[in-house]
Amino acid sequence: QTHLQDSGGGSVQAGGSLRLTCKISGAKFSITSYTACVGWFRQGPGEEREGIAAMDRLTNDTVYADSVKGRYAITKDNDDTTLFLQMNSLKPEDTARYYCAAGAYPCQLIERAYTLWTQGTQVTVSS
């Protein structure tokens, strides 16, 4: 059975960095039309969940939300079993629960396109 497991959240001061990890497991987790895209979403206190970064697993093309562009980077390992989100220059407004997800094309920041989700990991940035 395919599933995703994220980790790496924590507390950090503004200006600091964190790296989130999403382990992709399950013998059947091959690149299909339903898992061609991987992405990171977040949901802050009292806010709706928003997409912040996505990657096409075949081409490694990426897309970012304006709010994180230039500060965050989505990458994956060569085995295509681990997804990363490097977060730099963190701000208090980055405080949120972060989710890893896999879904179908197009690889955009559209929540409804993603069908596999993690439980999320909390990131807290203090000023």
Side-chain angles (χ1 to χ4, degrees):
Q1 185 174 352
T2 302
H3 72 277
L4 310 176
Q5 178 67 49
D6 54 24
S7 62
S11 297
V12 64
Q13 289 192 324
S17 299
L18 280 174
R19 188 174 79 161
L20 305 183
T21 299
C22 178
K23 288 285 189 181
I24 305 167
S25 63
K28 296 183 180 179
F29 196 77
S30 58
I31 299 177
T32 69
S33 60
Y34 297 102
T35 60
C37 305
V38 285
W40 290 95
F41 290 73
R42 69 182 182 185
Q43 186 169 20
E47 299 177 357
E48 301 210 350
R49 190 155 57 183
E50 64 166 335
I52 54 173
M55 172 183 278
D56 182 323
R57 293 174 64 205
L58 286 174
T59 65
N60 290 337
D61 288 343
T62 58
V63 61
Y64 294 93
D66 288 343
S67 58
V68 304
K69 198 173 295 183
R71 300 188 298 123
Y72 287 18
I74 181 172
T75 59
K76 63 181 177 68
D77 67 357
N78 290 334
D79 294 334
D80 200 28
T81 59
T82 307
L83 185 70
F84 303 99
L85 184 68
Q86 179 66 42
M87 306 183 294
N88 299 323
S89 301
L90 283 161
K91 306 174 183 179
E93 51 264 43
D94 294 320
T95 294
R97 191 162 188 85
Y98 284 70
Y99 301 85
C100 171
Y105 284 125
C107 297
Q108 298 296 322
L109 305 175
I110 304 171
E111 185 175 346
R112 66 176 180 272
Y114 293 80
T115 55
L116 286 174
W117 291 86
T118 61
Q119 295 293 317
T121 184
Q122 180 66 34
V123 171
T124 302
V125 184
S126 58
S127 57

